[in-house]
Short mmCIF file of all heavy atoms in Angstrom, two decimals:
data_model
loop_
_atom_site.label_atom_id
_atom_site.label_comp_id
_atom_site.label_asym_id
_atom_site.label_seq_id
_atom_site.Cartn_x
_atom_site.Cartn_y
_atom_site.Cartn_z
N MET F 1 -23.10 4.13 18.36
CA MET F 1 -21.83 4.73 18.00
C MET F 1 -21.88 5.22 16.56
O MET F 1 -22.17 4.47 15.65
CB MET F 1 -20.72 3.66 18.14
CG MET F 1 -19.34 4.22 17.89
SD MET F 1 -18.06 3.09 18.51
CE MET F 1 -17.65 2.17 17.02
N ARG F 2 -21.60 6.50 16.41
CA ARG F 2 -21.61 7.06 15.08
C ARG F 2 -20.18 7.21 14.58
O ARG F 2 -19.36 7.86 15.21
CB ARG F 2 -22.28 8.43 15.14
CG ARG F 2 -23.21 8.64 13.96
CD ARG F 2 -23.84 9.98 14.03
NE ARG F 2 -23.70 10.64 12.74
CZ ARG F 2 -23.99 11.90 12.55
NH1 ARG F 2 -24.41 12.65 13.54
NH2 ARG F 2 -23.87 12.44 11.36
N THR F 3 -19.89 6.59 13.43
CA THR F 3 -18.52 6.62 12.94
C THR F 3 -18.46 7.25 11.55
O THR F 3 -19.49 7.38 10.88
CB THR F 3 -17.93 5.19 12.88
OG1 THR F 3 -18.81 4.38 12.14
CG2 THR F 3 -17.71 4.62 14.26
N CYS F 4 -17.27 7.64 11.13
CA CYS F 4 -17.11 8.35 9.87
C CYS F 4 -17.01 7.39 8.67
O CYS F 4 -16.93 6.17 8.84
CB CYS F 4 -15.88 9.25 9.93
SG CYS F 4 -14.32 8.36 9.86
N ASP F 5 -16.98 7.95 7.47
CA ASP F 5 -16.91 7.16 6.23
C ASP F 5 -15.65 6.31 6.17
O ASP F 5 -15.65 5.18 5.70
CB ASP F 5 -16.91 8.09 5.01
CG ASP F 5 -18.24 8.75 4.81
OD1 ASP F 5 -19.20 8.37 5.53
OD2 ASP F 5 -18.35 9.62 3.95
N ARG F 6 -14.58 6.93 6.62
CA ARG F 6 -13.29 6.23 6.58
C ARG F 6 -13.34 4.96 7.44
O ARG F 6 -12.83 3.92 7.04
CB ARG F 6 -12.21 7.19 7.06
CG ARG F 6 -10.85 6.60 7.21
CD ARG F 6 -9.90 7.06 6.08
NE ARG F 6 -8.62 6.37 6.19
CZ ARG F 6 -8.34 5.22 5.56
NH1 ARG F 6 -9.22 4.66 4.77
NH2 ARG F 6 -7.19 4.64 5.73
N PHE F 7 -13.96 5.08 8.59
CA PHE F 7 -14.13 3.94 9.49
C PHE F 7 -14.88 2.81 8.75
O PHE F 7 -14.47 1.66 8.78
CB PHE F 7 -14.92 4.38 10.73
CG PHE F 7 -15.04 3.35 11.82
CD1 PHE F 7 -14.17 3.36 12.90
CD2 PHE F 7 -16.03 2.38 11.76
CE1 PHE F 7 -14.29 2.40 13.92
CE2 PHE F 7 -16.15 1.42 12.76
CZ PHE F 7 -15.28 1.44 13.85
N GLY F 8 -15.96 3.19 8.07
CA GLY F 8 -16.74 2.22 7.31
C GLY F 8 -15.96 1.56 6.20
O GLY F 8 -16.10 0.38 5.94
N ARG F 9 -15.10 2.38 5.54
CA ARG F 9 -14.29 1.82 4.44
C ARG F 9 -13.25 0.85 4.96
O ARG F 9 -13.01 -0.19 4.35
CB ARG F 9 -13.61 2.94 3.65
CG ARG F 9 -14.52 3.56 2.61
CD ARG F 9 -13.72 4.27 1.54
NE ARG F 9 -12.93 5.36 2.08
CZ ARG F 9 -13.41 6.58 2.34
NH1 ARG F 9 -14.66 6.86 2.09
NH2 ARG F 9 -12.63 7.51 2.82
N ILE F 10 -12.62 1.18 6.08
CA ILE F 10 -11.64 0.27 6.68
C ILE F 10 -12.33 -1.05 7.00
O ILE F 10 -11.86 -2.13 6.66
CB ILE F 10 -11.03 0.87 7.97
CG1 ILE F 10 -10.19 2.12 7.64
CG2 ILE F 10 -10.17 -0.17 8.70
CD1 ILE F 10 -9.76 2.93 8.87
N LYS F 11 -13.50 -0.93 7.64
CA LYS F 11 -14.24 -2.10 8.07
C LYS F 11 -14.69 -2.96 6.88
O LYS F 11 -14.49 -4.17 6.88
CB LYS F 11 -15.45 -1.65 8.87
CG LYS F 11 -16.15 -2.74 9.62
CD LYS F 11 -17.07 -2.11 10.66
CE LYS F 11 -17.63 -3.15 11.61
NZ LYS F 11 -18.85 -3.75 11.11
N SER F 12 -15.27 -2.32 5.87
CA SER F 12 -15.79 -3.12 4.77
C SER F 12 -14.66 -3.74 3.95
O SER F 12 -14.82 -4.85 3.43
CB SER F 12 -16.75 -2.32 3.89
OG SER F 12 -16.08 -1.25 3.30
N GLY F 13 -13.52 -3.06 3.87
CA GLY F 13 -12.36 -3.64 3.18
C GLY F 13 -11.88 -4.92 3.86
O GLY F 13 -11.67 -5.95 3.21
N PHE F 14 -11.75 -4.84 5.17
CA PHE F 14 -11.33 -6.03 5.93
C PHE F 14 -12.37 -7.14 5.82
O PHE F 14 -12.03 -8.31 5.65
CB PHE F 14 -11.12 -5.71 7.41
CG PHE F 14 -9.74 -5.21 7.74
CD1 PHE F 14 -9.51 -3.88 8.02
CD2 PHE F 14 -8.67 -6.10 7.78
CE1 PHE F 14 -8.24 -3.43 8.34
CE2 PHE F 14 -7.40 -5.66 8.10
CZ PHE F 14 -7.18 -4.32 8.37
N GLU F 15 -13.64 -6.76 5.93
CA GLU F 15 -14.69 -7.78 5.89
C GLU F 15 -14.71 -8.52 4.57
O GLU F 15 -14.94 -9.73 4.52
CB GLU F 15 -16.05 -7.14 6.19
CG GLU F 15 -16.24 -6.95 7.69
CD GLU F 15 -17.49 -6.19 8.06
OE1 GLU F 15 -18.09 -5.54 7.17
OE2 GLU F 15 -17.85 -6.23 9.24
N ARG F 16 -14.47 -7.78 3.49
CA ARG F 16 -14.43 -8.41 2.17
C ARG F 16 -13.28 -9.43 2.10
O ARG F 16 -13.46 -10.54 1.62
CB ARG F 16 -14.29 -7.35 1.09
CG ARG F 16 -14.57 -7.84 -0.30
CD ARG F 16 -14.27 -6.76 -1.32
NE ARG F 16 -12.94 -6.23 -1.11
CZ ARG F 16 -12.60 -4.93 -1.12
NH1 ARG F 16 -13.51 -4.02 -1.37
NH2 ARG F 16 -11.39 -4.54 -0.89
N ASP F 17 -12.11 -9.03 2.58
CA ASP F 17 -10.96 -9.94 2.57
C ASP F 17 -11.19 -11.16 3.46
O ASP F 17 -10.80 -12.27 3.11
CB ASP F 17 -9.70 -9.20 3.05
CG ASP F 17 -9.21 -8.19 2.03
OD1 ASP F 17 -9.71 -8.21 0.88
OD2 ASP F 17 -8.34 -7.38 2.37
N ILE F 18 -11.81 -10.93 4.61
CA ILE F 18 -12.10 -12.03 5.53
C ILE F 18 -13.07 -13.02 4.89
O ILE F 18 -12.86 -14.24 4.93
CB ILE F 18 -12.66 -11.51 6.88
CG1 ILE F 18 -11.54 -10.78 7.65
CG2 ILE F 18 -13.21 -12.65 7.72
CD1 ILE F 18 -12.03 -9.95 8.83
N ARG F 19 -14.12 -12.48 4.26
CA ARG F 19 -15.09 -13.34 3.57
C ARG F 19 -14.42 -14.17 2.48
O ARG F 19 -14.71 -15.34 2.28
CB ARG F 19 -16.22 -12.51 2.95
CG ARG F 19 -17.43 -12.39 3.82
CD ARG F 19 -18.66 -11.98 3.01
NE ARG F 19 -18.43 -10.79 2.21
CZ ARG F 19 -18.53 -9.55 2.66
NH1 ARG F 19 -18.88 -9.32 3.89
NH2 ARG F 19 -18.31 -8.52 1.87
N PHE F 20 -13.52 -13.53 1.74
CA PHE F 20 -12.81 -14.21 0.68
C PHE F 20 -11.99 -15.38 1.23
O PHE F 20 -12.03 -16.48 0.71
CB PHE F 20 -11.89 -13.21 -0.05
CG PHE F 20 -11.06 -13.84 -1.13
CD1 PHE F 20 -11.61 -14.05 -2.40
CD2 PHE F 20 -9.75 -14.23 -0.87
CE1 PHE F 20 -10.84 -14.64 -3.39
CE2 PHE F 20 -8.99 -14.83 -1.87
CZ PHE F 20 -9.53 -15.04 -3.13
N GLN F 21 -11.29 -15.13 2.32
CA GLN F 21 -10.47 -16.19 2.92
C GLN F 21 -11.34 -17.32 3.48
O GLN F 21 -11.00 -18.50 3.34
CB GLN F 21 -9.58 -15.63 4.05
CG GLN F 21 -8.49 -14.69 3.58
CD GLN F 21 -7.54 -15.34 2.60
OE1 GLN F 21 -7.38 -16.56 2.56
NE2 GLN F 21 -6.90 -14.53 1.78
N LEU F 22 -12.46 -16.96 4.10
CA LEU F 22 -13.34 -17.98 4.65
C LEU F 22 -13.98 -18.80 3.54
O LEU F 22 -14.12 -20.02 3.66
CB LEU F 22 -14.44 -17.35 5.52
CG LEU F 22 -13.96 -16.76 6.85
CD1 LEU F 22 -15.12 -16.12 7.60
CD2 LEU F 22 -13.28 -17.81 7.72
N GLY F 23 -14.31 -18.16 2.45
CA GLY F 23 -14.87 -18.84 1.28
C GLY F 23 -13.87 -19.84 0.73
O GLY F 23 -14.20 -20.98 0.41
N HIS F 24 -12.64 -19.42 0.66
CA HIS F 24 -11.56 -20.29 0.19
C HIS F 24 -11.39 -21.47 1.13
O HIS F 24 -11.25 -22.61 0.69
CB HIS F 24 -10.27 -19.46 0.11
CG HIS F 24 -9.12 -20.22 -0.49
ND1 HIS F 24 -8.16 -20.82 0.28
CD2 HIS F 24 -8.81 -20.47 -1.78
CE1 HIS F 24 -7.29 -21.42 -0.52
NE2 HIS F 24 -7.65 -21.22 -1.78
N ALA F 25 -11.43 -21.21 2.43
CA ALA F 25 -11.27 -22.27 3.42
C ALA F 25 -12.40 -23.30 3.29
O ALA F 25 -12.17 -24.51 3.42
CB ALA F 25 -11.26 -21.67 4.83
N GLU F 26 -13.62 -22.82 3.02
CA GLU F 26 -14.76 -23.74 2.88
C GLU F 26 -14.65 -24.61 1.62
O GLU F 26 -14.96 -25.78 1.64
CB GLU F 26 -16.07 -22.96 2.80
CG GLU F 26 -16.70 -22.79 4.16
CD GLU F 26 -17.87 -21.81 4.12
OE1 GLU F 26 -18.57 -21.76 3.08
OE2 GLU F 26 -18.06 -21.09 5.11
N ARG F 27 -14.23 -23.98 0.55
CA ARG F 27 -14.13 -24.72 -0.71
C ARG F 27 -13.06 -25.81 -0.67
O ARG F 27 -13.16 -26.79 -1.37
CB ARG F 27 -13.82 -23.77 -1.88
CG ARG F 27 -15.05 -23.03 -2.38
CD ARG F 27 -14.81 -22.39 -3.74
NE ARG F 27 -13.68 -21.47 -3.73
CZ ARG F 27 -13.73 -20.23 -3.25
NH1 ARG F 27 -14.86 -19.74 -2.78
NH2 ARG F 27 -12.68 -19.46 -3.29
N HIS F 28 -12.04 -25.59 0.15
CA HIS F 28 -10.93 -26.55 0.20
C HIS F 28 -10.83 -27.17 1.58
O HIS F 28 -9.74 -27.40 2.09
CB HIS F 28 -9.62 -25.85 -0.16
CG HIS F 28 -9.65 -25.19 -1.49
ND1 HIS F 28 -9.39 -25.85 -2.67
CD2 HIS F 28 -9.95 -23.91 -1.84
CE1 HIS F 28 -9.52 -25.00 -3.67
NE2 HIS F 28 -9.86 -23.83 -3.21
N GLU F 29 -12.00 -27.43 2.17
CA GLU F 29 -12.02 -27.90 3.54
C GLU F 29 -11.11 -29.09 3.80
O GLU F 29 -11.08 -30.04 3.02
CB GLU F 29 -13.46 -28.27 3.91
CG GLU F 29 -13.81 -27.86 5.32
CD GLU F 29 -15.19 -28.30 5.71
OE1 GLU F 29 -16.08 -28.28 4.85
OE2 GLU F 29 -15.37 -28.66 6.89
N GLY F 30 -10.37 -29.03 4.92
CA GLY F 30 -9.51 -30.14 5.31
C GLY F 30 -8.12 -30.11 4.71
O GLY F 30 -7.22 -30.79 5.19
N SER F 31 -7.93 -29.29 3.69
CA SER F 31 -6.61 -29.25 3.04
C SER F 31 -5.68 -28.26 3.74
O SER F 31 -6.12 -27.43 4.53
CB SER F 31 -6.77 -28.86 1.57
OG SER F 31 -7.14 -27.51 1.48
N GLY F 32 -4.42 -28.33 3.42
CA GLY F 32 -3.44 -27.40 3.98
C GLY F 32 -3.77 -25.95 3.68
O GLY F 32 -3.82 -25.13 4.59
N PRO F 33 -4.00 -25.61 2.41
CA PRO F 33 -4.33 -24.22 2.08
C PRO F 33 -5.59 -23.71 2.79
O PRO F 33 -5.69 -22.53 3.12
CB PRO F 33 -4.55 -24.24 0.56
CG PRO F 33 -3.77 -25.40 0.10
CD PRO F 33 -3.82 -26.42 1.21
N ALA F 34 -6.56 -24.61 3.01
CA ALA F 34 -7.78 -24.21 3.71
C ALA F 34 -7.45 -23.79 5.14
O ALA F 34 -7.96 -22.80 5.65
CB ALA F 34 -8.79 -25.34 3.72
N LYS F 35 -6.58 -24.55 5.78
CA LYS F 35 -6.18 -24.21 7.16
C LYS F 35 -5.43 -22.88 7.16
O LYS F 35 -5.60 -22.06 8.07
CB LYS F 35 -5.30 -25.31 7.75
CG LYS F 35 -6.12 -26.48 8.22
CD LYS F 35 -5.27 -27.57 8.84
CE LYS F 35 -6.06 -28.87 8.92
NZ LYS F 35 -5.34 -29.99 8.34
N ALA F 36 -4.61 -22.67 6.16
CA ALA F 36 -3.89 -21.40 6.05
C ALA F 36 -4.87 -20.25 5.90
O ALA F 36 -4.72 -19.20 6.54
CB ALA F 36 -2.91 -21.44 4.87
N SER F 37 -5.90 -20.45 5.07
CA SER F 37 -6.90 -19.39 4.87
C SER F 37 -7.69 -19.11 6.13
O SER F 37 -7.98 -17.95 6.44
CB SER F 37 -7.87 -19.79 3.75
OG SER F 37 -7.23 -19.69 2.51
N ALA F 38 -8.04 -20.17 6.84
CA ALA F 38 -8.80 -19.99 8.09
C ALA F 38 -7.96 -19.22 9.10
O ALA F 38 -8.45 -18.33 9.79
CB ALA F 38 -9.23 -21.34 8.65
N GLY F 39 -6.68 -19.55 9.16
CA GLY F 39 -5.78 -18.85 10.07
C GLY F 39 -5.61 -17.39 9.68
O GLY F 39 -5.59 -16.49 10.53
N LEU F 40 -5.54 -17.15 8.37
CA LEU F 40 -5.40 -15.80 7.85
C LEU F 40 -6.64 -14.97 8.18
O LEU F 40 -6.54 -13.80 8.55
CB LEU F 40 -5.20 -15.88 6.33
CG LEU F 40 -4.42 -14.77 5.64
CD1 LEU F 40 -3.08 -14.57 6.32
CD2 LEU F 40 -4.20 -15.16 4.19
N ALA F 41 -7.80 -15.60 8.03
CA ALA F 41 -9.06 -14.90 8.34
C ALA F 41 -9.07 -14.48 9.81
O ALA F 41 -9.50 -13.38 10.15
CB ALA F 41 -10.25 -15.79 8.02
N LYS F 42 -8.60 -15.37 10.67
CA LYS F 42 -8.56 -15.07 12.10
C LYS F 42 -7.60 -13.90 12.37
O LYS F 42 -7.93 -12.97 13.11
CB LYS F 42 -8.09 -16.31 12.85
CG LYS F 42 -8.61 -16.38 14.26
CD LYS F 42 -8.09 -17.62 14.98
CE LYS F 42 -8.89 -18.89 14.64
NZ LYS F 42 -8.35 -20.07 15.31
N ALA F 43 -6.43 -13.95 11.73
CA ALA F 43 -5.45 -12.88 11.90
C ALA F 43 -6.00 -11.54 11.38
O ALA F 43 -5.78 -10.48 11.97
CB ALA F 43 -4.15 -13.23 11.17
N MET F 44 -6.78 -11.61 10.27
CA MET F 44 -7.36 -10.39 9.70
C MET F 44 -8.38 -9.77 10.64
O MET F 44 -8.51 -8.55 10.68
CB MET F 44 -8.05 -10.72 8.38
CG MET F 44 -7.07 -10.86 7.24
SD MET F 44 -7.96 -11.48 5.80
CE MET F 44 -6.71 -11.22 4.55
N ARG F 45 -9.12 -10.62 11.36
CA ARG F 45 -10.10 -10.09 12.31
C ARG F 45 -9.39 -9.31 13.40
O ARG F 45 -9.86 -8.26 13.83
CB ARG F 45 -10.90 -11.23 12.96
CG ARG F 45 -11.99 -11.74 12.07
CD ARG F 45 -13.18 -12.19 12.89
NE ARG F 45 -14.13 -12.89 12.02
CZ ARG F 45 -14.08 -14.19 11.78
NH1 ARG F 45 -13.17 -14.93 12.35
NH2 ARG F 45 -14.93 -14.73 10.95
N VAL F 46 -8.26 -9.88 13.87
CA VAL F 46 -7.47 -9.19 14.90
C VAL F 46 -6.95 -7.86 14.35
O VAL F 46 -7.03 -6.82 15.01
CB VAL F 46 -6.31 -10.09 15.39
CG1 VAL F 46 -5.41 -9.33 16.36
CG2 VAL F 46 -6.86 -11.36 16.03
N ASN F 47 -6.43 -7.91 13.10
CA ASN F 47 -5.93 -6.69 12.48
C ASN F 47 -7.02 -5.64 12.31
O ASN F 47 -6.78 -4.45 12.49
CB ASN F 47 -5.35 -6.98 11.08
CG ASN F 47 -4.02 -7.69 11.17
OD1 ASN F 47 -3.38 -7.69 12.21
ND2 ASN F 47 -3.60 -8.28 10.06
N MET F 48 -8.20 -6.11 11.92
CA MET F 48 -9.32 -5.19 11.72
C MET F 48 -9.66 -4.48 13.03
O MET F 48 -9.82 -3.27 13.06
CB MET F 48 -10.55 -5.93 11.19
CG MET F 48 -11.77 -5.04 11.09
SD MET F 48 -13.17 -5.80 10.26
CE MET F 48 -13.84 -6.78 11.58
N ALA F 49 -9.75 -5.27 14.11
CA ALA F 49 -10.08 -4.69 15.41
C ALA F 49 -9.04 -3.65 15.81
O ALA F 49 -9.37 -2.57 16.30
CB ALA F 49 -10.18 -5.79 16.47
N ARG F 50 -7.79 -3.98 15.54
CA ARG F 50 -6.71 -3.06 15.91
C ARG F 50 -6.77 -1.80 15.04
O ARG F 50 -6.68 -0.68 15.56
CB ARG F 50 -5.37 -3.74 15.76
CG ARG F 50 -4.23 -2.92 16.35
CD ARG F 50 -2.98 -3.76 16.52
NE ARG F 50 -2.70 -4.54 15.32
CZ ARG F 50 -2.13 -5.74 15.30
NH1 ARG F 50 -1.80 -6.32 16.41
NH2 ARG F 50 -1.92 -6.36 14.17
N ALA F 51 -6.93 -1.98 13.73
CA ALA F 51 -6.98 -0.83 12.82
C ALA F 51 -8.14 0.09 13.17
O ALA F 51 -8.00 1.31 13.18
CB ALA F 51 -7.09 -1.31 11.38
N LEU F 52 -9.30 -0.51 13.48
CA LEU F 52 -10.47 0.32 13.80
C LEU F 52 -10.29 1.04 15.13
O LEU F 52 -10.69 2.21 15.25
CB LEU F 52 -11.73 -0.54 13.82
CG LEU F 52 -12.17 -1.07 12.45
CD1 LEU F 52 -13.37 -1.99 12.60
CD2 LEU F 52 -12.48 0.06 11.49
N SER F 53 -9.69 0.37 16.10
CA SER F 53 -9.55 1.06 17.38
C SER F 53 -8.50 2.17 17.29
O SER F 53 -8.66 3.22 17.91
CB SER F 53 -9.28 0.08 18.52
OG SER F 53 -7.96 -0.36 18.49
N ILE F 54 -7.45 1.95 16.51
CA ILE F 54 -6.46 3.02 16.29
C ILE F 54 -7.12 4.19 15.58
O ILE F 54 -6.97 5.35 15.97
CB ILE F 54 -5.23 2.51 15.49
CG1 ILE F 54 -4.41 1.56 16.35
CG2 ILE F 54 -4.37 3.67 15.00
CD1 ILE F 54 -3.34 0.80 15.59
N HIS F 55 -7.87 3.88 14.52
CA HIS F 55 -8.56 4.94 13.80
C HIS F 55 -9.49 5.72 14.74
O HIS F 55 -9.46 6.94 14.78
CB HIS F 55 -9.38 4.38 12.63
CG HIS F 55 -10.27 5.42 12.02
ND1 HIS F 55 -9.85 6.25 11.01
CD2 HIS F 55 -11.54 5.80 12.33
CE1 HIS F 55 -10.83 7.11 10.74
NE2 HIS F 55 -11.87 6.85 11.51
N TYR F 56 -10.28 4.97 15.49
CA TYR F 56 -11.25 5.60 16.37
C TYR F 56 -10.58 6.51 17.40
O TYR F 56 -11.07 7.61 17.69
CB TYR F 56 -12.07 4.51 17.08
CG TYR F 56 -13.25 5.07 17.84
CD1 TYR F 56 -14.44 5.36 17.17
CD2 TYR F 56 -13.17 5.31 19.20
CE1 TYR F 56 -15.51 5.89 17.86
CE2 TYR F 56 -14.24 5.83 19.90
CZ TYR F 56 -15.41 6.12 19.22
OH TYR F 56 -16.48 6.63 19.90
N SER F 57 -9.45 6.05 17.91
CA SER F 57 -8.79 6.85 18.95
C SER F 57 -8.19 8.15 18.38
O SER F 57 -7.98 9.10 19.11
CB SER F 57 -7.70 6.02 19.63
OG SER F 57 -6.62 5.82 18.75
N LYS F 58 -7.96 8.17 17.07
CA LYS F 58 -7.34 9.35 16.46
C LYS F 58 -8.30 10.23 15.69
O LYS F 58 -7.95 11.35 15.28
CB LYS F 58 -6.24 8.92 15.49
CG LYS F 58 -5.03 8.36 16.19
CD LYS F 58 -3.99 7.98 15.16
CE LYS F 58 -2.75 7.42 15.83
NZ LYS F 58 -1.82 6.87 14.86
N CYS F 59 -9.49 9.72 15.42
CA CYS F 59 -10.41 10.40 14.51
C CYS F 59 -11.39 11.31 15.26
O CYS F 59 -12.13 10.86 16.11
CB CYS F 59 -11.16 9.36 13.70
SG CYS F 59 -12.27 10.11 12.50
N ARG F 60 -11.37 12.58 14.85
CA ARG F 60 -12.27 13.54 15.50
C ARG F 60 -13.71 13.33 15.07
O ARG F 60 -14.64 13.58 15.82
CB ARG F 60 -11.86 14.95 15.13
CG ARG F 60 -10.82 15.48 16.07
CD ARG F 60 -10.80 16.98 15.97
NE ARG F 60 -9.43 17.44 15.83
CZ ARG F 60 -9.09 18.54 15.18
NH1 ARG F 60 -10.01 19.27 14.59
NH2 ARG F 60 -7.84 18.91 15.10
N LEU F 61 -13.89 12.88 13.82
CA LEU F 61 -15.26 12.67 13.32
C LEU F 61 -15.95 11.53 14.05
O LEU F 61 -17.13 11.60 14.38
CB LEU F 61 -15.23 12.37 11.82
CG LEU F 61 -14.82 13.52 10.92
CD1 LEU F 61 -14.65 13.05 9.49
CD2 LEU F 61 -15.84 14.64 10.98
N CYS F 62 -15.19 10.45 14.28
CA CYS F 62 -15.78 9.30 14.98
C CYS F 62 -16.11 9.62 16.44
O CYS F 62 -17.01 9.04 17.01
CB CYS F 62 -14.83 8.10 14.95
SG CYS F 62 -14.75 7.26 13.36
N ARG F 63 -15.35 10.54 17.01
CA ARG F 63 -15.49 10.79 18.44
C ARG F 63 -16.33 12.00 18.78
O ARG F 63 -16.40 12.41 19.94
CB ARG F 63 -14.10 10.95 19.06
CG ARG F 63 -13.29 9.71 18.86
CD ARG F 63 -11.90 9.91 19.38
NE ARG F 63 -11.91 10.13 20.83
CZ ARG F 63 -10.83 10.20 21.56
NH1 ARG F 63 -9.66 10.10 21.01
NH2 ARG F 63 -10.90 10.40 22.85
N ARG F 64 -16.95 12.57 17.78
CA ARG F 64 -17.70 13.80 18.08
C ARG F 64 -18.91 13.48 18.96
O ARG F 64 -19.37 12.36 19.00
CB ARG F 64 -18.12 14.46 16.77
CG ARG F 64 -19.41 13.97 16.16
CD ARG F 64 -19.45 14.31 14.71
NE ARG F 64 -19.73 13.05 13.99
CZ ARG F 64 -19.90 12.96 12.67
NH1 ARG F 64 -19.74 14.00 11.92
NH2 ARG F 64 -20.18 11.82 12.11
ZN1 ZN Z 1 -13.30 8.19 11.82
#
């Protein structure tokens, strides 16, 4: 699958945020904030999948 620059930027932005949340969850393992971060990371993955599929469905460059 060949995708455009914008697709890559959306993806890498989400991935950076997800990594940040997972890193936070690891550093504070077992605590309340860690659970919140882990949950947030999961929600971000869902958001990323949705954002990418919406982009893909609308983007002529990705679908060429
Ligand atoms: Zn695209």
Side-chain angles (χ1 to χ4, degrees):
M1 184 164 96
R2 222 180 130 190
T3 53
C4 73
D5 290 352
R6 175 106 185 92
F7 187 97
R9 277 201 299 278
I10 294 169
K11 193 164 189 273
S12 63
F14 273 106
E15 280 174 344
R16 194 186 51 225
D17 290 349
I18 290 166
R19 265 199 307 277
F20 177 83
Q21 292 301 336
L22 290 178
H24 186 262
E26 267 171 33
R27 281 195 303 281
H28 303 275
E29 219 183 324
S31 71
K35 281 181 196 128
S37 287
L40 208 53
K42 208 181 279 179
M44 281 172 169
R45 281 213 189 88
V46 175
N47 286 343
M48 175 172 81
R50 190 165 47 213
L52 291 176
S53 76
I54 289 169
H55 171 88
Y56 189 83
S57 71
K58 289 181 179 172
C59 182
R60 273 199 228 150
L61 291 172
C62 285
R63 300 176 64 173
R64 86 201 127 176

